[in-house]
Amino acid sequence: MKTILNGTQVAITIDRLCHQLIENHLDFSKSVLIGLQPRGIYLSDRIYHTLQKLLPGVHINYGKLDITFYRDDFNTQLHVPNQTTIDFSLENKKVILVDDVLYTGRTTRSALAAMLDFGRPSVVELLVLIDRRFTRHLPIQADYTGRTVDAITSEKVKVRWAERDGKDEVILE
């Protein structure tokens, strides 16, 4: 087991990602933040709350998207659906999808299909804490990356969140 990011490094990385978002989206008037269920919402909650602190008084549309029924392996195994909470239109918005790990790209593909039920965005960007760049099955890449990890297929990247797992860290097993 190897630590990729400890708790302090996770916090610094999230802060850096937020500053990159501010550089590219300024006042967020035409931008929305969407966390991907189930594990991407821990990162998106942190991103959202950090942006609120950095941009007091600025309204940021924030939602959570469940992709369970859009997965390409939906019929092959049992999946427990999560809740989607998007109470605004994505029509002509700049959507920032947030997930913890970009691995094969299949989760992101499912999210792209699922979000079209909420409108047709003008732009879609992807923000991930960890990018496993050598394991892609689909031509998908992140616009904002916390850390790039080169791991062989048999290795697992695990993101632990204080809210769920008791502490923040990213490990390679």
Side-chain angles (χ1 to χ4, degrees), residues 85-98:
T85 53
I86 299 175
D87 60 356
F88 47 86
S89 172
L90 301 183
E91 195 68 32
N92 293 317
K93 297 290 187 186
K94 295 176 183 176
V95 174
I96 305 152
L97 293 176
V98 180

Side-chain angles (χ1 to χ4, degrees), residues 23-86:
E23 286 178 20
N24 292 331
H25 294 269
L26 299 172
D27 65 359
F28 286 83
S29 61
K30 296 187 186 292
S31 303
V32 301
L33 197 63
I34 305 289
L36 300 183
Q37 293 275 20
R39 297 192 59 91
I41 63 165
Y42 298 105
L43 176 59
S44 63
D45 282 347
R46 299 274 185 93
I47 294 284
Y48 176 73
H49 292 298
T50 303
L51 287 172
Q52 292 286 284
K53 288 177 189 168
L54 294 171
L55 301 169
V58 172
H59 175 71
I60 300 171
N61 282 317
Y62 173 46
K64 298 175 183 178
L65 181 63
D66 177 40
I67 56 133
T68 301
F69 298 113
Y70 296 87
R71 294 174 56 106
D72 57 8
D73 64 350
F74 177 71
N75 293 326
T76 62
Q77 52 186 309
L78 179 64
H79 296 283
V80 178
N82 294 286
Q83 185 176 9
T84 291
T85 53
I86 299 175

Side-chain angles (χ1 to χ4, degrees), residues 83 104-105 144:
Q83 185 176 9
T104 63
Y144 308 94

Side-chain angles (χ1 to χ4, degrees), residues 100-164:
D100 59 347
V101 178
L102 175 56
Y103 184 29
T104 63
R106 292 184 182 281
T107 298
T108 305
R109 188 220 49 87
S110 300
L112 292 169
M115 76 176 183
L116 289 176
D117 289 346
F118 298 91
R120 185 175 182 261
S122 62
V123 175
V124 178
E125 296 178 336
L126 179 61
L127 181 148
V128 297
L129 184 64
I130 302 294
D131 179 358
R132 291 185 61 156
R133 66 178 169 172
F134 295 132
T135 53
R136 221 63 92 238
H137 294 181
L138 301 168
I140 290 174
Q141 67 182 24
D143 299 282
Y144 308 94
T145 302
R147 178 72 58 98
T148 300
V149 175
D150 298 334
I152 59 175
T153 306
S154 62
E155 293 177 310
K156 294 186 186 236
V157 174
K158 297 204 174 189
V159 179
R160 295 185 177 148
W161 297 104
E163 302 89 287
R164 182 180 192 276

Side-chain angles (χ1 to χ4, degrees), residues 2-5 10 129-130 157-159 168-172:
K2 175 185 173 188
T3 300
I4 297 169
L5 296 173
V10 168
L129 184 64
I130 302 294
V157 174
K158 297 204 174 189
V159 179
D168 294 335
E169 71 176 349
V170 180
I171 58 169
L172 182 65

